[in-house]
Amino acid sequence: MPHQTPLIATIVMGLVLAFVFGAVANRLRVSPLVGYLLAGVLVGPFTPGFVADQALANELAEIGVILLMFGVGLHFSLKDLLSVKAIAIPGAVGQIAVATLMGLGLSWAMGWPLGGGFIFGLALSVASTVVLLRALQERRLIETERGRIAVGWLIVEDLAMVLALVLLPALGGVVGQGEDPSLQGGLPSREILITLAITLGKVVAFVALMLVVGRRLIPWVLHYV
């Protein structure tokens, strides 16, 4: 078919359906996010009618997440996180541990393997920072102490998930021992420790780079331009 425009079609249909279902959800006194989710289902491959280009949709979704997280960064700073660290850090770590164990227990009761149950519980243990930020903004609570604690709590969860996602491939062999004969032996503990050290080094380097470049160099460049 000549003149195919999958990018334009995906953007147009996504925006139109998001607008329509978001307006309906708002009219029903439900969060517009519910309407946006329904719009995404309708343009997906599991419903009749128009099907968006899945590869393009995934890339556009990644761009959307980047922009939304940029919004989180505009409303929260390292100073705010440090001011609520006594509550946010132990609270987030405790919630992740409890929710992961609950998910692991549920998956064990359903007969799932240990590795799959662990990942399932880990996925249940975090909430959306962007969704919470949006809800706090609507209620004008973002600058309150409760708002700073809530956002700081979820930022700690986000950092923990980044670490978990990096370590999952390395730990996969160890978790899968006894479940798959091909994974017997797993990764030696030395390699896991090396992977952990490299990951922590990258995180420290990234934070240092952002504190120096993000707070000093980029504002200077923008002022110069």
Side-chain angles (χ1 to χ4, degrees):
M1 180 179 178
H3 307 298
Q4 291 185 357
T5 54
L7 176 60
I8 295 177
T10 300
I11 293 176
V12 170
M13 290 301 298
L15 291 178
V16 169
L17 291 175
F19 171 77
V20 172
F21 282 91
V24 172
N26 185 66
R27 183 69 175 177
L28 296 175
R29 299 185 181 277
V30 181
S31 173
L33 289 173
V34 177
Y36 301 157
L37 292 174
L38 291 176
V41 172
L42 284 179
V43 298
F46 303 107
T47 53
F50 174 80
V51 177
D53 187 292
Q54 294 186 51
L56 286 176
N58 287 334
E59 293 186 22
L60 291 173
E62 293 290 345
I63 294 175
V65 170
I66 292 171
L67 294 176
L68 289 171
M69 293 307 296
F70 180 75
V72 174
L74 289 177
H75 291 89
F76 204 81
S77 66
L78 184 60
K79 182 180 179 181
D80 294 329
L81 178 59
L82 293 177
S83 67
V84 297
K85 64 180 180 180
I87 300 176
I89 295 178
V93 172
Q95 178 189 334
I96 291 174
V98 171
T100 301
L101 290 175
M102 292 176 64
L104 187 60
L106 177 61
S107 63
W108 176 78
M110 294 187 298
W112 288 19
L114 178 62
F118 175 75
I119 295 175
F120 174 68
L122 203 61
L124 293 179
S125 67
V126 293
S128 173
T129 305
V130 174
V131 172
L132 174 72
L133 184 66
R134 178 65 177 173
L136 291 175
Q137 286 177 333
E138 290 178 354
R139 294 163 177 79
R140 298 181 180 180
L141 296 174
I142 193 69
E143 299 297 335
T144 64
E145 183 179 3
R146 289 181 296 168
R148 288 195 296 269
I149 291 174
V151 177
W153 188 305
L154 291 186
I155 287 179
V156 173
E157 289 185 354
D158 292 339
L159 294 175
M161 286 305 106
V162 170
L163 186 62
L165 289 174
V166 174
L167 292 178
L168 274 178
L171 296 175
V174 176
V175 175
Q177 288 184 28
E179 299 171 7
D180 188 343
S182 64
L183 295 177
Q184 289 294 330
L187 286 176
S189 57
R190 182 172 176 272
E191 292 188 18
I192 295 176
L193 292 176
I194 292 176
T195 302
L196 179 60
I198 293 175
T199 301
L200 293 177
K202 289 180 179 179
V203 171
V204 171
F206 174 77
V207 172
L209 182 65
M210 287 301 98
L211 289 176
V212 175
V213 177
R215 298 185 61 180
R216 298 180 182 276
L217 181 60
I218 292 179
W220 177 83
V221 170
L222 291 176
H223 177 74
Y224 178 80
V225 172

